[in-house]
Amino acid sequence: MGWFSLIFGVAVSLFFMVVAVSGIGANWGTQATHPLPPDTVVRLLRDNGIQKVKLFDADAGTLNALGKSGVEVMVGIPNDMLSTMASSVKAAQRWVDKNVSSHISGNAVNIRYVAVGNEPFLQTYNGTFLRTTFPALQNIQAALIKAGLGNQVKVTCPLNADVYESSSGLPSGGDFRADIRDLMIAIVKFLSDNGAPFTVNIYPFISLYTDENFPVEYAFFDGNGSPIVDGGTTYTNMFDANHDTLVWALQKNGFGNLPIIVGEIGWPTDGDRNANLVYAQRFNQGFMTHIATGKGTPMRPGPIDAYLFSLIDEDAKSIDPGNFERHWGIFYFDGVPKYQLNLGTTNTGTLVRAKNVQYLSQKWCVMKPSASLDDPQVALSVSYACSLADCTSLGYGTTCGNLDARGNISYAFNSYYQIQNQVDSACKFPNLSMITKTNPSTDNCRFGIMIEPYAASGELRAGCLQKLMAFIVMVALLFFS
């Protein structure tokens, strides 16, 4: 009996580990100058046992690649389409027919959710989408019902955690933000009436980024931070406390059982002193271990439905929120894992890199040894290169923050050169640059080689336009220097 009990106990533990973790999802963003081909990304998902994916649009190439993959899909309607969806039931029906119905019936895409908007009530939007989000949600739901998909596909609206707040600073004080409370209650009731989930994005990193007094250890799951005691409940990490603030808000307004999806959670690896590989690995592995228990949070026991943010770095994302925005991926732009991460979904317990990725030639654009730092063209050239490339790994606390002046200039030149597909004209900064086959990378700073451009949906046309603009500016620099 002793051996049987031991074996049975281990088997049960493993079973719950698989049940709790195997459903982990990932956000697949495509704001990149050189996105990996969709087929490559779908294989990456499957090789890593990621069974759910959250998209920010409904790109046909992406959805076609997901056909027959078995991967559960949440398609997205961008914020700039909310007005159209809100003002016209017909427009909503056309969108559902084109982006949901046709892919389910014609390509066996496992679409389970439609995300209407993305964090539309962010305070930084100054109310831009307050009047259109709920009507868009209603019209998309009506269109799904008309298409006969009302039970199979559910609407949701990914919201930032700033839609709720706590009057006491404790989870039990949670309620919806005062300025949108009535709207939030109407949306929550609508979701509940239609059997749809509440989707929330929770980011301890952002709290740390925006508040220099935020207790760093409380962002992680090690239990090293000072706990918060809320009545008889102790919170040892920010995620549980934030999540349960939402649960309290729902409960206070009569919707305590509404399903919750964590639409985005993660940690960036560059672009800020707290955005680094060590913290990202610690946070993401801590989160995976935390949810693997299947215990949930104090106010919402049970498995947590979550999507890591994000799958792959996106070098064309807006950096208005911060330089870290381009570095959320658990994989680099080329599908190479950044760090050891056990998702509980592979036999090796490690991330599996993307297969058959094609790179450009092993050459880089750097500053000429003979070029002078005092050359008046330096500042203009670097500014131009960084405006069209990605220099977010430069600066205080970043992976390339220890480069000297010449190294910084070379990094900027090379980033631009690679994004321009290594065309010779992209390394013609007047009297400043040269092409080399010697890798200028350092121990901590990676001078990248770009992957082959993926030709789809107008991207090559955009690339040609970019090259034309690059040529024009280069000619201007040469002419006026």
Side-chain angles (χ1 to χ4, degrees), residues 173-190:
D175 203 347
F176 293 112
R177 210 170 74 209
D179 61 310
I180 57 171
R181 187 171 182 274
D182 291 345
L183 175 59
M184 283 304 306
I185 292 172
I187 289 175
V188 166
K189 182 180 186 305
F190 178 79

Side-chain angles (χ1 to χ4, degrees), residues 60 107 145 147 181 281 293 335 345 361 365 375 440 463 481:
N107 197 27
I145 291 173
R181 187 171 182 274
Q281 194 277 339
T293 64
T345 55
S361 301
C365 180
D375 190 313
S481 61

Side-chain angles (χ1 to χ4, degrees), residues 363-399:
K363 55 184 181 179
W364 297 261
C365 180
V366 297
M367 188 179 189
K368 284 181 177 179
S370 60
S372 171
L373 291 172
D374 297 325
D375 190 313
Q377 290 296 326
V378 167
L380 179 64
S381 297
V382 169
S383 177
Y384 170 74
C386 288
S387 70
L388 292 174
D390 181 20
C391 296
T392 55
S393 292
L394 300 175
Y396 172 70
T398 61
T399 55

Side-chain angles (χ1 to χ4, degrees), residues 129-331:
F129 307 108
L130 288 180
R131 295 180 181 274
T132 55
T133 301
F134 189 22
L137 198 65
Q138 292 171 307
N139 286 347
I140 291 295
Q141 174 66 26
L144 288 171
I145 291 173
K146 182 177 175 58
L149 298 171
N151 294 323
Q152 179 179 349
V153 182
K154 299 296 182 180
V155 293
T156 189
C157 179
L159 296 166
N160 188 273
D162 75 348
V163 299
Y164 49 89
E165 55 194 4
S166 173
S167 56
S168 64
L170 300 172
S172 60
D175 203 347
F176 293 112
R177 210 170 74 209
D179 61 310
I180 57 171
R181 187 171 182 274
D182 291 345
L183 175 59
M184 283 304 306
I185 292 172
I187 289 175
V188 166
K189 182 180 186 305
F190 178 79
L191 294 173
S192 178
D193 289 345
N194 288 281
F198 189 109
T199 300
V200 62
N201 301 337
I202 299 176
Y203 283 112
F205 169 80
I206 299 297
S207 298
L208 182 60
Y209 179 74
T210 57
D211 181 4
E212 61 181 19
N213 296 315
F214 183 85
V216 177
E217 291 299 320
Y218 193 60
F220 299 98
F221 298 92
D222 309 292
N224 296 331
S226 299
I228 288 177
V229 179
D230 187 3
T233 304
T234 299
Y235 288 93
T236 60
N237 65 82
M238 182 190 167
F239 170 77
D240 282 358
N242 191 300
H243 182 278
D244 282 2
T245 304
L246 169 59
V247 177
W248 275 103
L250 292 170
Q251 184 171 295
K252 283 179 182 175
N253 292 288
F255 302 96
N257 294 321
L258 187 70
I260 295 173
I261 291 175
V262 179
E264 297 178 19
I265 185 166
W267 199 282
T269 56
D270 212 347
D272 181 70
R273 63 189 179 91
N274 290 312
N276 55 65
L277 294 172
V278 173
Y279 276 7
Q281 194 277 339
R282 182 183 174 195
F283 180 84
N284 283 330
Q285 190 61 72
F287 178 70
M288 292 306 306
T289 303
H290 184 59
I291 68 173
T293 64
K295 293 180 180 178
T297 66
M299 284 294 292
R300 187 62 73 88
I304 293 173
D305 192 358
Y307 295 79
L308 292 178
F309 191 87
S310 64
L311 187 65
I312 303 169
D313 279 351
E314 300 171 78
D315 66 350
K317 283 191 73 175
S318 168
I319 57 172
D320 286 346
N323 286 346
F324 56 84
E325 279 294 336
R326 295 178 177 176
H327 304 279
W328 287 99
I330 57 176
F331 294 92

